[in-house]
Amino acid sequence: MEKIVKKYLGIDWGEVRIGLALGDDENKIAVPLSVVNGLEEILAIIKKEEIDEVVVGEPLAMISSELVNKKRYSAFIGSLQDNTSLPIHTIDERLTSKAADALAGDKKTKAARDAIAAMLILQSFFDSQT
């Protein structure tokens, strides 16, 4: 029996920009995709890329487990759930933006910081599944 490969979309949510990354459960390697501005663009990518599951970084405060921008983040997650039947996983994203800065390279060659942060969120999810 052939194994069905699941495709994942990693999301680095932000109030202004939303970073996206792709990966699958066979290779378990996340790659940066793009930066978008809202839910409609995310839903279009979910459809286009035939995504099976979504992983969203939780913007937790550094010194506690309190969510930063809790109301807006919760509204985003709620809207995502209302508009798709896909499983949605959340994962602690503390320090992903700092790590993304370290990986980004110079301005001419770097992928967008938010897409790299999304890649790190999704890769962290894959790594936690083993």
Side-chain angles (χ1 to χ4, degrees):
M1 180 179 229
E2 188 176 324
K3 180 185 177 207
I4 297 173
V5 177
K6 286 186 184 178
K7 287 182 77 177
Y8 288 78
L9 179 68
I11 299 177
D12 176 39
W13 175 82
E15 291 183 62
V16 177
R17 291 177 312 279
I18 302 167
L20 302 177
L22 292 177
D24 63 60
D25 67 349
E26 182 175 68
N27 295 311
K28 295 189 178 187
I29 296 173
V31 294
L33 177 64
S34 64
V35 176
V36 298
N37 297 310
L39 184 63
E40 299 79 24
E41 292 173 271
I42 294 170
L43 296 173
I45 288 170
I46 286 173
K47 185 175 180 180
K48 178 185 173 199
E49 296 292 337
E50 300 177 342
I51 299 298
D52 297 298
E53 298 192 28
V54 178
V55 179
V56 184
E58 283 185 302
L60 300 172
M62 282 301 295
I63 56 174
S64 72
S65 60
E66 287 295 312
L67 284 170
V68 177
N69 302 319
K70 185 175 185 174
K71 283 185 182 178
R72 289 187 176 143
Y73 176 79
S74 296
F76 170 76
I77 294 292
S79 293
L80 192 55
Q81 289 171 329
D82 290 345
N83 286 281
T84 181
S85 60
L86 300 178
I88 299 171
H89 309 276
T90 58
I91 188 165
D92 183 348
E93 69 164 28
R94 284 181 274 201
L95 297 178
T96 56
S97 292
K98 293 278 188 202
D101 286 342
L103 293 174
D106 65 42
K107 289 195 184 285
K108 289 183 182 177
T109 61
K110 73 176 181 176
R113 174 187 194 222
D114 300 304
I116 293 173
M119 175 195 74
L120 294 170
I121 289 165
L122 184 54
Q123 190 63 55
S124 180
F125 175 80
F126 286 148
D127 293 349
S128 73
Q129 301 300 301
T130 57

